[in-house]
């Protein structure tokens, strides 16, 4: 009998909605609004809010807040556009605040 081992996940801290896969983590050394945050290449079960320009530590970016699609908790933001050439790799990627997501299947 093989034990079923699912992928390691991150889910919403409020409602345990599945938000992201551990395999999609690009970097764990980002700064969120309330401390540490992770950069992900994909996120699921989220809603993306209106775009706005924000001056971050790494320059001007167009970002949009991302919400849990179930409980509407703000989990982080999506980088829609980066203006600095060195920051372009973040376009289309997601920041999720460490304090807003919990580990599942670890
Ligand atoms: Zn939620």
């Amino acid at each position: 009998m093989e034990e079923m081992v699912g992928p390691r996940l991150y889910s919403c801290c409020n409602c345990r909605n599945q938000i992201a896969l551990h395999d999609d983590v690009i970097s764990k050394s980002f700064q969120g609004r309330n401390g540490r945050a992770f950069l992900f290449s994909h996120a699921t079960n989220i809603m993306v809010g209106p775009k706005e320009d924000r001056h971050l530590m790494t320059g001007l970016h167009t970002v949009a807040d991302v919400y849990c699609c179930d409980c509407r908790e703000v989990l982080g933001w999506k980088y829609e556009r980066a203006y600095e050439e060195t920051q372009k790799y973040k376009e289309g990627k997601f920041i999720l605040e460490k304090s807003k997501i919990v580990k599942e299947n670890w």
Side-chain angles (χ1 to χ4, degrees):
M1 286 290 283
E2 277 186 40
E3 211 178 321
M4 288 289 289
V5 179
R8 293 193 291 179
L9 308 171
Y10 289 100
S11 55
C12 173
C13 65
N14 246 355
C15 68
R16 296 299 180 101
N17 202 0
Q18 180 185 325
I19 302 297
L21 295 172
H22 176 67
D23 286 347
D24 289 333
V25 173
I26 297 170
S27 171
K28 290 189 171 181
S29 57
F30 274 71
Q31 185 66 32
R33 286 196 194 85
N34 311 301
R36 283 273 293 284
F38 300 163
L39 184 70
F40 288 88
S41 58
H42 297 95
T44 54
N45 298 319
I46 51 153
M47 297 190 321
V48 180
K51 294 176 190 175
E52 61 177 67
D53 286 342
R54 234 176 255 171
H55 284 279
L56 304 171
M57 281 187 297
T58 47
L60 180 64
H61 295 75
T62 302
V63 300
D65 283 337
V66 297
Y67 307 82
C68 173
C69 70
D70 264 358
C71 68
R72 309 292 165 98
E73 179 82 18
V74 177
L75 302 172
W77 63 83
K78 180 183 181 187
Y79 287 104
E80 297 283 356
R81 188 175 170 196
Y83 292 85
E84 305 278 342
E85 206 55 45
T86 55
Q87 305 299 318
K88 290 279 186 194
Y89 74 97
K90 294 192 284 193
E91 289 185 348
K93 309 292 195 305
F94 298 87
I95 287 286
L96 298 174
E97 307 249 8
K98 192 174 178 232
S99 59
K100 298 294 181 77
I101 52 178
V102 291
K103 294 171 176 178
E104 304 270 7
N105 291 332
W106 292 62

